[in-house]
Amino acid sequence: MTLFWIFDFRFWIGGSERNKVFYFALYCFLFAISVRAEAQQPKKLPRIAYLSANSAVGQVSNLKAFRQGLGELGYVEGKNILIDYRYADAKLDRLPALAAELVVLKVEVIVTSGPTATRPAKEATAMIPIVMANDNDPVSYGFVASLARPGGNITGLSTLSAELNGKRLELLKEIVPGLSRVAVFGTSTNPGNAQALKETELAAGALGLKIQYSDIRDPKDIEAAFKAVRKQRSDGILALNTPFINTSYRPQFAALAVKNRLPAIFFSTRYPEDGGLMSYGVSSADLIRRAAPYVDKILKGAKPADLPVEQPTKFELVINLNAAKQIGLTIPPNVLARADRVIR
């Protein structure tokens, strides 16, 4: 364009009136072409990623909520934003390689579906922003320095809530007549496990309940834990929120609890959906939807270190009446009335 201006200017000074008209017309034509070509240049779309330890099928409802959140901010996948998906299908050893793939793709943000996916993402990059969509204790895991001031390249949503295990015990006591012994399933290698167990023990003491802890770190521990529950004659089960328990083994936990006619309360709605008795916990869909504004802010220049980690505001009680019938348990009407969803 600069050369054309010089070329045109020389002929404008030394040319005839006829030449001036000709070159002016030529200039206008070339200018119009260049403007049109610039306007037709495709804009580079922002590219983000979604990393999950679970399968694509297991993430359908969460992804629907995430896309809804993006849509509320004006983003339409494939039109003005691109999303790369990576699923480990419960094969956790695949996660580091999947996270490394996303780094090679140079995505602008990595959204993780839980702490099991956040860890390998953190280890893969200290530069690409990471948005946690559903991490139960990011401070204990070492993902952020604090909820108010995350520091580093990670921020997002936390499910941390000190009262939840206490409320789960209260619900279990409401539906199980004469409840006195509760088996608690957890994973000692999980950084947040010790604190969650401590909170559960305090709540149990206030409710006059005795706790019997079973450590589950491997698939073979699942059957052993249920054998211990039968031997100890526990009246019910409470599952702590740990990555191992919240994987593809959900149907096995749910089925064994029903088979042994043990009322069990879980932290995720996926358990009653998979045949378990009941769950009380954070709305995962709501958290995933709220991850979208973090992505939007980061794409517009915000730093993860400056975006405080938010905590849940929406909780759900889900009851599976089919499981209750198999266990031989009648759910009190006042508890059913408080349920957000009843599976019949």
Side-chain angles (χ1 to χ4, degrees):
M1 185 64 72
T2 303
L3 290 174
F4 177 72
W5 269 100
I6 295 171
F7 176 79
D8 177 59
F9 183 67
R10 288 174 179 171
F11 277 90
W12 185 268
I13 292 175
S16 65
E17 289 297 324
R18 186 176 180 181
N19 283 341
K20 289 180 181 179
V21 172
F22 171 76
Y23 284 108
F24 178 74
L26 179 61
Y27 164 75
C28 291
F29 173 70
L30 293 175
F31 179 77
I33 290 176
S34 67
V35 170
R36 184 178 178 184
E38 288 175 10
Q40 290 178 343
Q41 286 290 330
K43 278 188 176 181
K44 182 184 176 184
L45 300 183
R47 188 174 192 174
I48 67 172
Y50 186 88
L51 179 64
S52 173
N54 297 311
S55 64
V57 173
Q59 289 294 302
V60 169
S61 59
N62 283 344
L63 287 174
K64 181 180 178 182
F66 180 56
R67 294 189 187 105
Q68 178 189 343
L70 289 173
E72 291 168 358
L73 297 165
Y75 293 99
V76 179
E77 186 177 0
K79 184 176 180 182
N80 57 4
I81 193 169
L82 301 175
I83 308 177
D84 288 295
Y85 301 95
R86 294 293 185 276
Y87 306 101
D89 297 319
K91 298 173 183 176
L92 305 187
D93 58 338
R94 293 183 57 204
L95 283 166
L98 295 176
E101 283 181 25
L102 299 176
V103 174
V104 172
L105 289 174
K106 296 181 180 180
V107 296
E108 295 175 56
V109 183
I110 298 175
V111 179
T112 57
S113 65
T116 312
T118 304
R119 170 119 5 238
K122 180 180 186 293
E123 292 172 351
T125 179
M127 300 300 293
I128 298 174
I130 297 169
V131 174
M132 309 173 294
N134 193 350
D135 282 29
N136 57 316
D137 195 348
V139 177
S140 293
Y141 278 112
F143 298 153
V144 298
S146 70
L147 300 184
R149 297 183 178 182
N153 64 320
I154 302 178
T155 188
L157 289 305
S158 168
T159 62
L160 183 64
S161 184
E163 301 81 16
L164 288 189
N165 287 320
K167 289 188 177 181
R168 292 183 185 114
L169 285 177
E170 288 177 10
L171 284 165
L172 204 56
K173 190 171 183 178
E174 281 190 75
I175 67 169
V176 181
L179 182 75
S180 62
R181 295 175 181 269
V182 178
V184 175
F185 291 168
T187 306
S188 59
T189 53
N190 176 46
N193 193 76
Q195 183 61 31
L197 182 58
K198 181 180 178 181
E199 292 163 359
T200 303
E201 288 171 341
L202 289 172
L207 293 168
L209 301 174
K210 292 182 180 179
I211 294 296
Q212 296 164 325
Y213 178 73
S214 290
D215 197 33
I216 300 176
R217 294 183 289 178
D218 188 87
K220 69 177 185 298
D221 295 332
I222 299 174
E223 287 280 0
F226 277 94
K227 285 181 181 178
V229 169
R230 290 194 299 269
K231 185 176 180 180
Q232 295 162 352
R233 297 185 179 180
S234 297
D235 305 310
I237 297 172
L238 167 68
L240 301 181
N241 187 350
T242 70
F244 178 80
I245 294 176
N246 192 24
T247 59
S248 58
Y249 299 105
R250 285 191 306 270
Q252 186 179 359
F253 278 105
L256 283 171
V258 171
K259 179 182 176 181
N260 288 280
R261 298 173 65 86
L262 283 164
I265 186 163
F266 300 94
F267 48 85
S268 169
T269 60
R270 294 174 186 173
Y271 280 92
E273 290 168 354
D274 285 338
L277 176 62
M278 65 190 297
S279 68
Y280 177 74
V282 173
S283 168
S284 295
D286 183 61
L287 282 185
I288 296 286
R289 181 186 61 79
R290 289 168 58 196
Y294 279 95
V295 172
D296 179 54
K297 290 173 184 176
I298 291 170
L299 291 178
K300 290 177 178 175
K303 304 296 183 185
D306 301 327
L307 298 174
V309 175
E310 295 181 6
Q311 295 197 61
T313 57
K314 185 177 180 181
F315 304 89
E316 294 178 319
L317 171 61
V318 179
I319 299 172
N320 186 324
L321 288 183
N322 293 322
K325 184 178 180 180
Q326 293 178 64
I327 293 170
L329 186 68
T330 301
I331 306 296
N334 66 319
V335 177
L336 277 176
R338 301 202 306 269
D340 297 279
R341 183 154 53 109
V342 176
I343 299 172
R344 300 178 186 276

